[in-house]
Amino acid sequence: MKPYRIYLSVPHMGGREEEYVRDAFRTNWLSTVGPNLHGFEQEMADRLGHGTGGLAVASGTAALHLVLRALDVGPGDRVAVSTLTFAGSVFPIQYLGAEPVFLDSEENSWNLSADLVEEYFRSAASRGRLPKVLVAVHLYGQHADIDRIGAACDAFGVALVEDAAESLGGTYRGRQTATRAPHSILSFNGNKMITTTGGGMVIAKDADSLARMRKWANQSREPALEYLHAETGYNYRMSNVLAGIGRGQLHVLDDRVAARRGVAARYAAVVEEFDGVTMQAEANWGMHSRWLSVLHFDPSRCPARPLDILRALDARGIESRPVWRPMHTQPLYAGAERVGGDVAVRLFENGLCLPSSSRLSTAEQDEVIETLRGCLSSVGAAQS
């Protein structure tokens, strides 16, 4: 095995990050306040077209927790959420004592099915069991059909939240991500399109709502000389140092999207050579950022299995990963309500995420492609 490993998705600095971090050290703004925080929040809001602004916090999960609390989610409430997602989209529902309801995907974008949302709302309304909130997750860099989903939420009085943790840099009908819903969240984990090494952001259209969340994120300290607290708070703020990294990263976001889309295009050209293997499709409503390049294996046409490819790549020192395991199949949520789920299960069982870093060199891409092509060719030859 070679002395290094090709990872799935790694941080990629652009150059200006150190400038902002050095400035934080030079001016001694090393806490959870400072010019980088204000700059990062406003620059991100400006990038997305939100005049209100953002709230930089410790993680995307923390951001979603704050948003759900701002929407008054609590015990006895139901929150509908995509089943094909990471657990961070669901845990905050439990933090507040509410119950998740898992909704299935559609085949086109792999995202939350707008048809199913409409059907579920009609049925739930007839039974007096509408959810208070719907969290629509934009998966692997591609948007759900958010206008249709949002229209359904408006019609039934369900609050819409966009979980855009994976979709920064992607678009929907010419608009930036995280712009349809009144509340959206972003993630800047180390493996995301841009990173603050760890962190997230709330994007909100209402200034009063954003102010409440800002207070909660800062331990709910009241405006008094002493440390006065009238409600529960959290230590969720991002530091001024990490926000400086985010400001630098934001300068190169478009370059990172272009690079990842270029990697995906190379993979797509390879899988076209083999029957029954495809990339996650790009829906006609927007640009897929290709945060991750994801393959799908049709078991009726392709004898190769995702785990076989994963093991072959691993033997060559190349990291790959299964598609998110649907939340309704997780032991933690065995008793949770769900609507559909078969599509998400099929995508999980027949999907594989390939190395997608924007800093993936041509030689590293070649190595992934060579291994992938070799596996698919050998399996095909064995079956002929």
Side-chain angles (χ1 to χ4, degrees), residues 89-355:
S89 303
V90 185
F91 286 157
I93 300 170
Q94 289 183 282
Y95 297 166
L96 294 164
E99 301 173 9
V101 179
F102 297 113
L103 304 187
D104 205 358
S105 301
E106 44 87 6
E107 303 272 8
N108 180 28
S109 71
W110 299 22
N111 278 298
L112 183 64
S113 167
D115 288 340
L116 192 64
V117 169
E118 294 166 353
E119 177 186 324
Y120 164 59
F121 283 175
R122 286 193 296 269
S123 173
S126 71
R127 295 177 284 119
R129 290 180 57 82
L130 275 169
K132 178 173 280 189
V133 177
L134 170 67
V135 179
V137 181
H138 300 318
L139 193 68
Y140 292 131
Q142 175 156 252
H143 277 71
D145 193 356
I146 199 66
D147 279 352
R148 279 191 61 197
I149 292 169
C153 287
D154 293 342
F156 286 90
V158 176
L160 174 65
V161 174
E162 288 184 68
D163 182 339
E166 301 178 8
S167 61
L168 184 61
T171 64
Y172 177 85
R173 303 194 186 283
R175 308 192 302 268
Q176 293 292 314
T177 197
T179 53
R180 171 59 174 83
H183 296 88
S184 302
I185 67 104
L186 304 171
S187 172
F188 311 118
N189 191 33
N191 64 359
K192 290 300 192 294
M193 187 67 71
I194 64 171
T195 184
T196 56
T197 73
M201 188 175 288
V202 174
I203 299 293
K205 294 184 178 181
D206 179 70
D208 290 337
S209 177
L210 198 64
R212 288 197 305 275
M213 288 184 278
R214 191 178 299 280
K215 177 187 174 186
W216 296 334
N218 195 31
Q219 303 281 26
S220 286
R221 184 181 178 186
E222 299 292 336
L225 288 177
E226 71 274 26
Y227 279 80
L228 183 66
H229 305 277
E231 55 185 344
T232 301
Y234 319 101
N235 186 12
Y236 276 176
R237 288 291 281 158
M238 181 184 289
S239 81
N240 189 62
V241 176
L242 298 189
I245 298 174
R247 293 184 77 183
Q249 288 274 280
L250 195 51
H251 286 287
V252 293
L253 174 57
D254 291 331
D255 294 337
R256 300 300 180 255
V257 172
R260 287 185 187 247
R261 284 178 60 84
V263 171
R266 291 202 66 196
Y267 293 152
V270 173
V271 300
E272 285 177 359
E273 303 170 12
F274 300 93
D275 186 43
V277 189
T278 55
M279 295 283 293
Q280 179 191 14
E282 184 170 58
N284 61 11
W285 54 65
M287 183 185 72
H288 195 320
S289 73
R290 300 294 181 185
W291 168 58
L292 290 185
S293 293
V294 190
L295 299 185
H296 181 263
F297 299 81
D298 183 344
S300 69
R301 296 163 52 206
C302 177
R305 296 292 178 264
L307 286 180
D308 296 333
I309 305 297
L310 184 151
R311 292 186 183 107
L313 290 168
D314 185 63
R316 293 283 298 271
I318 300 168
E319 182 185 22
S320 59
R321 187 174 71 187
V323 167
W324 296 126
R325 176 171 177 153
M327 286 294 105
H328 74 271
T329 72
Q330 299 282 358
L332 181 61
Y333 299 115
E337 182 179 354
R338 67 181 174 93
V339 182
D342 290 347
V343 173
V345 168
R346 286 199 302 273
L347 294 171
F348 161 64
E349 291 177 343
N350 300 301
L352 184 68
C353 304
L354 296 178

Side-chain angles (χ1 to χ4, degrees), residues 9-24:
S9 183
V10 300
H12 188 181
M13 297 294 103
R16 295 196 63 183
E17 295 87 353
E18 288 190 49
E19 170 188 333
Y20 289 111
V21 171
R22 280 197 303 270
D23 191 60

Side-chain angles (χ1 to χ4, degrees), residues 63-80:
L64 184 56
H65 185 197
L66 292 169
V67 166
L68 293 179
R69 180 176 171 182
L71 293 171
D72 200 29
V73 170
D77 290 328
R78 282 173 293 279
V79 176

